Amino acid sequence: MMSEQECDVVVAGGGIAGCFAAIAAASAGAKVAIVERGDTVGGIVVDGLLEALMTFHDEEGLIATKLTQEFIDRLTSSGGSCGFVRDTVGYCKTIVPYDAEILKSLLFE
């Protein structure tokens, strides 16, 4: 069902990048609409076989933005993650294991 809505920002795609673009715009006070062809948000992060978010730290420390840190904190406090853990495989310094359903719910909010 299509409907007309007024907004300041339109984000094309509700994958993880689109969701964070929308969150950033809304945090700045914009009225945001996400246009997504699928039936949910989160993209490959919630629909794929992934089990952890990654690349939040480098050799010098945390490289995540305040917005990302706030989201990880919210994910952790909701029981959807244990937070940052060392990556034992070696792709990056830390990973954030997550429950895809809780992550999807938070992105939808």
Side-chain angles (χ1 to χ4, degrees):
M1 176 183 205
M2 302 270 298
S3 65
E4 253 185 65
Q5 296 181 4
E6 287 190 31
C7 60
D8 302 310
V9 175
V10 175
V11 176
I16 193 76
C19 286
F20 271 84
I23 292 167
S27 295
K31 186 173 177 184
V32 182
I34 297 177
V35 179
E36 169 57 43
R37 68 182 171 121
D39 58 354
T40 189
V41 295
I44 191 72
V45 173
V46 297
D47 289 336
L49 298 174
L50 301 176
E51 56 189 32
L53 304 171
M54 59 181 67
T55 316
F56 295 100
H57 293 84
D58 65 9
E59 293 75 23
E60 297 178 21
L62 184 67
I63 57 173
T65 65
K66 179 182 176 190
L67 181 65
T68 306
Q69 181 65 60
E70 288 172 356
F71 188 81
I72 298 300
D73 291 345
R74 197 161 168 214
L75 181 61
T76 302
S77 68
S78 70
S81 177
C82 59
F84 298 111
V85 295
R86 189 173 66 83
D87 178 16
T88 58
V89 177
Y91 288 121
C92 54
K93 291 290 180 186
T94 60
I95 60 172
V96 178
Y98 62 89
D99 177 294
E101 290 303 313
I102 294 174
L103 178 72
K104 183 181 353 179
S105 176
L106 290 176
L107 289 173
F108 188 76
E109 284 178 27

